[in-house]
Amino acid sequence: MRPCARRLLVAAGAVVLALAAAVPALALTGDEIIRRMERHERHDSMQSTGSMEITDRFGTRTKSFMSTALGDDRSLLEFTNPEEAGQKVLRLEDEIYLYFPDSEDVIHLQGAALRDSVLGSDFSYEDMTGSSSRLNDYEVVLEGTEEIDGHETYRLRLTAKRRDVVYPVQVAWVDSERFVTRRVELFSRRGRALKRMAVTEFREVGDKVIGTRLEMSDFMKKESMTVFTIDDIAIDEPVDESLFSLEELTF
Amino acid sequence: MASLSSRALTSAPAASGAASRGGGGNGKFLLRLAWRNLSRHRRRTVITTVALAVSVAVLIFMDSMLGGIDQESQRNLVWYETGSGRVVTHAQLEDLDQVALKHELVDYLPLSEALSARGIANTPRVGFVGELFFGEGSLPIRLIGIDPDTDEDVYRLRDSLLPDSSYLEAGIPGLILGSWTTDDLGLSLGDFVEVRTRTRHGAMQVLELELVGILLSPNPTINRGVGYLPLDVAQYDLEMEGVTEISLGALPSGLGRPIAVPTGAFLNREIERLNAELGARFPNAAAVGWPQLARDYLALMETKSSSNAMLLFLILLIAAVGISNTMLIAVYERIREFGMMRALGMDDAAIRATMVFEAGIIGLLGSMAGLVVGAAATFWLVNWGIDVSGLYGDVSIGYRVTGEFRGAWNPGTLATSVVFGVLASMAIALLPARRALRLDVVQCLRHE
């Protein structure tokens, strides 16, 4: 065999071996990866306490909270830091109600008000709504694998199926071993990167892996970041349904 | 005492004689007597007249300025913000304060043609909100997609562009901002900005636009927080087929010239007529006049007009107090003189009439002088105005006026202030006269 032909054969063999190594990783479809990922993210119920550290050009401030959620569409967030103590955010499906203890007033957020940020953070009230499966809203394409913070991840591109989905494109990096989201980037209709969410700490709760430290940054706002930390968490435990009512909100 | 007696004696015998004659001759005599009394007390007459003249002049000037601000605010509102009215969807009509892209007029082109055929200048627009980003800064902004070819038929943005600015061109993603906004963000012509907003369907969208024009208009509300971009660029990026409104320009009056700032019954009638005509062909569309679009402004003006009325009332009150004070002094100084006149046979009614005539003459002289001074000041205010840019800078105080306050002629106020000056003076003189005449003759003569 001529040396040239031998080199060609070796190269072809290397390609075949590389492809063979990649096949297990790409054997899963994007939809399957999302389904496995959401198994860790969606619960019958969740109770947690934690804090939100908000940094912007005016400085850094910390808000602490208690949160209770039931299924995908009911949640109650109550702030416990002295400045906002007693302020509550009740979510009933896609409706948001705010309660302010000083004025004993309930405000129903509607329309453009849902786009306002929560206490000046990088989260909007709208980000708190609509937690149904991403497979309902997006076409998912597995684009390949990448290493994020030393962990092997699947890189998924989610493209909205309908024109009324808030973020028309998302790119998500899902840990290929534990199937948890390590990073998500959100894009506008024109493809402008808007926000990045990075999950940097996890905790095992039962058979689920829960992200307990989440950094949200706004690409368009310089020096802007919100770090969302969960200190205590309990999932799939009984929760009093009456918590999620307007009567209870003002009680 | 001697001089008082001699002065009183020159008029009192004649007064008693004339007063007993009665009729028109009596009135003429009392008028002449009042005039002579005023001539004798020249200094007091001049002081009272000047006080009244100043009050009347201030009243005329203030009324002119407040009226001018109202008039110009209304005009700037229509020329820069609302047009003389709009055609919107019925759904949008329910909530005019919240412009929503979902309330879309899809068939706006035939609608626009129908309005043009009726002789109404019109232009389509898309209004939406977003957040403008430049460098380290961002601010909430109201954006309006305008048709560069027809917007000038209704609005006067182009006339307000600063030197070196360009106007918008269809298909080119340019942006015009008010100079107060560009100053806030440190923007210059040629800079690129990003605007984060939502499409018609609610999806996140970011528009990248080049600042091609900076405007400084007489209407402060569009100098800050409002931006303009080409209609087709807005429609493409917001995924819209139609527009949110068609703005209406001057309304044809049937009297030759169309009315640029229609008001009152004429505007209501025209809008009703337009709705009746549009209803048949465009059941989704409804016309609305500018007062409905500017309810917050009109409510503010309502409040301000109450405070303006209070201000004018206070000016009148100060004038009335001034007149009454002077008349009071004038009467009390002359109580002994009245005693002498009564002792010589002049009756109380004639004395009272003399005092009222004196006050009336002072009122007339003061009002006329005030009218002349006030009219001269108004003439200056109407033609040259007061530059308040140094006082208010780029702060909006609710009025749709910036830079210069101009006056407006109000013939009603000119006439009213003269009538008020005369009548108020006469009415005010009655009270001290009555008090003085309550004293008997001996008490009058002994009065110090």
Side-chain angles (χ1 to χ4, degrees):
Chain A
M1 187 180 281
R2 291 160 58 184
C4 176
R6 193 181 300 141
R7 274 204 298 275
L8 203 64
L9 200 64
V10 170
V15 169
V16 168
L17 280 174
L19 282 173
V23 162
L26 296 175
L28 288 168
T29 63
D31 283 14
E32 183 55 31
I33 293 167
I34 292 287
R35 265 191 284 273
R36 290 195 189 187
M37 181 188 85
E38 287 186 344
R39 200 185 72 77
H40 294 291
E41 292 183 354
R42 304 178 70 194
H43 325 287
D44 292 336
S45 71
M46 185 173 92
Q47 291 161 292
S48 63
T49 59
S51 63
M52 228 174 22
E53 190 183 271
I54 302 161
T55 303
D56 57 22
R57 55 188 164 143
F58 303 111
T60 300
R61 53 208 180 274
T62 303
K63 318 286 177 188
S64 54
F65 63 83
M66 291 191 304
S67 168
T68 310
L70 191 61
D72 285 338
D73 49 19
R74 283 182 284 180
S75 69
L76 179 69
L77 184 70
E78 180 175 348
F79 290 97
T80 52
N81 56 299
E83 297 84 6
E84 282 85 19
Q87 279 190 31
K88 296 177 190 171
V89 183
L90 173 67
R91 181 191 151 215
L92 300 173
E93 296 185 343
D94 284 340
E95 305 292 322
I96 297 273
Y97 300 89
L98 306 183
Y99 172 70
F100 296 94
D102 293 344
S103 56
E104 296 185 350
D105 198 12
V106 174
I107 294 174
H108 180 200
L109 286 189
Q110 288 176 305
L114 285 167
R115 299 168 191 173
D116 290 347
S117 81
V118 181
L119 299 181
S121 69
D122 292 291
F123 292 95
S124 67
Y125 291 103
E126 198 174 40
D127 289 337
M128 298 170 68
T129 64
S131 61
S132 65
S133 170
R134 268 166 267 202
L135 296 176
N136 294 336
D137 296 335
Y138 293 95
E139 297 283 355
V140 184
V141 174
L142 173 58
E143 292 189 328
T145 58
E146 270 179 34
E147 197 175 285
I148 297 286
D149 301 331
H151 299 273
E152 191 70 11
T153 63
Y154 296 117
R155 180 190 157 105
L156 304 172
R157 177 168 292 269
L158 290 80
T159 308
K161 291 176 180 172
R162 304 183 312 276
R163 293 204 290 182
D164 62 351
V165 177
V166 175
Y167 296 103
V169 176
Q170 295 190 19
V171 175
W173 287 264
V174 180
D175 191 298
S176 58
E177 189 186 334
R178 304 169 89 180
F179 289 93
V180 290
T181 309
R182 288 213 167 261
R183 184 187 293 175
V184 180
E185 289 183 357
L186 309 170
F187 295 82
S188 74
R189 170 74 72 213
R190 275 190 157 202
R192 169 71 159 94
L194 299 170
K195 290 180 181 177
R196 170 186 286 171
M197 188 184 77
V199 187
T200 56
E201 289 174 14
F202 296 88
R203 190 183 304 169
E204 286 187 17
V205 182
D207 61 345
K208 293 182 176 179
V209 180
I210 309 293
T212 54
R213 188 173 187 279
L214 189 151
E215 296 171 0
M216 178 76 111
S217 51
D218 189 323
F219 285 113
M220 298 184 76
K221 288 181 179 168
K222 306 282 187 294
E223 303 168 16
S224 164
M225 179 176 281
T226 301
V227 179
F228 193 88
T229 309
I230 293 177
D231 298 324
D232 296 305
I233 186 165
I235 58 171
D236 299 336
E237 290 186 2
V239 167
D240 181 2
E241 283 198 37
S242 67
L243 278 176
F244 309 99
S245 67
L246 289 174
E247 292 75 29
E248 196 68 25
L249 189 66
T250 55
F251 184 68
Chain B
M1 181 67 193
S3 77
L4 171 66
S5 306
S6 64
R7 265 188 275 150
L9 287 171
T10 54
S11 53
S16 60
S20 63
R21 281 199 292 274
N26 186 18
K28 266 188 195 168
F29 167 75
L30 293 177
L31 206 54
R32 236 183 7 251
L33 181 63
W35 178 253
R36 285 184 66 181
N37 283 338
L38 289 175
S39 309
R40 281 191 298 126
H41 303 285
R42 196 166 291 157
R43 184 185 294 173
R44 195 176 58 221
T45 305
V46 168
I47 291 171
T48 315
T49 306
V50 167
L52 184 63
V54 169
S55 301
V56 168
V58 169
L59 178 69
I60 290 171
F61 182 80
M62 289 301 293
D63 182 71
S64 164
M65 190 170 80
L66 295 172
I69 292 171
D70 275 356
Q71 214 173 69
E72 202 167 329
S73 281
Q74 195 167 299
R75 200 172 55 212
N76 289 338
L77 184 91
V78 170
W79 285 354
Y80 294 92
E81 266 183 83
T82 61
S84 59
R86 276 180 201 164
V87 177
V88 295
T89 62
H90 280 288
Q92 181 67 74
L93 198 60
E94 298 295 310
D95 188 7
L96 284 168
D97 298 330
Q98 292 279 333
V99 177
L101 295 177
K102 64 183 176 188
H103 302 316
E104 190 177 9
L105 276 172
V106 178
D107 51 354
Y108 72 99
L109 288 173
L111 190 50
S112 172
E113 282 167 17
L115 290 166
S116 300
R118 243 186 131 264
I120 302 174
N122 64 88
T123 187
R125 284 183 156 200
V126 170
F128 60 106
V129 291
E131 190 171 4
L132 179 80
F133 292 86
F134 177 71
E136 300 288 306
S138 71
L139 50 81
I141 191 159
R142 192 158 58 86
L143 285 152
I144 303 171
I146 65 171
D147 181 348
D149 295 329
T150 59
D151 206 71
E152 281 178 274
D153 298 342
V154 177
Y155 296 103
R156 305 192 172 210
L157 301 179
R158 195 169 194 157
D159 302 338
S160 306
L161 288 176
L162 294 179
D164 299 328
S165 291
S166 307
Y167 197 54
L168 298 171
E169 285 181 52
I172 297 174
L175 177 70
I176 292 176
L177 286 174
S179 64
W180 297 0
T181 307
T182 56
D183 289 347
D184 287 348
L185 286 175
L187 278 161
S188 310
L189 289 171
D191 284 337
F192 282 85
V193 299
E194 287 184 309
V195 175
R196 184 154 71 189
T197 184
R198 300 298 181 100
T199 65
R200 184 228 183 283
H201 307 284
M204 285 285 203
Q205 181 64 297
V206 176
L207 285 69
E208 194 183 357
L209 303 165
E210 181 186 357
L211 183 67
V212 296
I214 299 174
L215 63 82
L216 181 60
S217 84
N219 183 335
T221 55
I222 68 162
N223 292 337
R224 176 175 285 132
V226 182
Y228 301 89
L229 69 160
L231 180 68
D232 56 352
V233 172
Q235 284 175 313
Y236 177 79
D237 280 327
L238 302 175
E239 301 182 326
M240 291 189 74
E241 293 168 39
V243 296
T244 53
E245 65 179 67
I246 295 180
S247 294
L248 306 176
L251 297 180
S253 63
L255 299 169
R257 269 178 61 183
I259 297 177
V261 186
T263 52
F266 168 74
L267 177 65
N268 294 338
R269 199 177 55 242
E270 285 303 301
I271 293 295
E272 265 180 41
R273 192 178 294 172
L274 200 54
N275 274 324
E277 289 173 23
L278 291 177
R281 280 186 64 193
F282 306 98
N284 186 35
V288 58
W290 68 264
Q292 262 187 281
L293 300 165
R295 279 175 300 185
D296 57 336
Y297 164 78
L298 291 176
L300 183 70
M301 287 304 105
E302 191 72 26
T303 314
K304 286 198 173 176
S305 73
S306 306
S307 47
N308 292 348
M310 184 60 77
L311 179 70
L312 295 178
F313 172 74
L314 282 176
I315 293 171
L316 290 177
L317 194 67
I318 291 165
V321 168
I323 298 166
S324 108
N325 195 34
T326 322
M327 290 309 299
L328 210 63
I329 294 166
V331 170
Y332 285 134
E333 271 182 356
R334 292 165 60 200
I335 284 181
R336 288 167 70 188
E337 187 180 320
F338 295 150
M340 182 68 73
M341 289 160 86
R342 290 165 79 190
L344 291 169
M346 192 171 182
D347 64 27
D348 288 357
I351 293 173
R352 191 180 300 116
T354 310
M355 289 163 68
V356 170
F357 280 148
E358 282 180 33
I361 292 168
I362 288 175
L364 186 66
L365 291 173
S367 299
M368 293 309 291
L371 178 69
V372 170
V373 175
T378 300
F379 180 78
W380 170 79
L381 194 63
V382 168
N383 290 288
W384 288 278
I386 303 173
D387 186 357
V388 292
S389 53
L391 186 63
Y392 292 115
D394 60 0
V395 176
S396 173
I397 52 168
Y399 288 118
R400 298 316 201 248
V401 182
T402 181
E404 209 169 70
F405 283 178
R406 292 211 175 218
W409 288 107
N410 186 349
T413 302
L414 299 182
T416 310
S417 56
V418 173
V419 172
F420 166 80
V422 175
L423 292 182
S425 304
M426 292 169 81
I428 286 163
L430 280 173
L431 191 67
R434 207 173 127 202
R435 275 197 183 176
L437 295 175
R438 264 196 210 144
L439 302 171
D440 61 33
V441 176
V442 177
Q443 280 176 311
C444 283
L445 289 170
R446 283 184 178 161
H447 193 267
E448 289 292 330

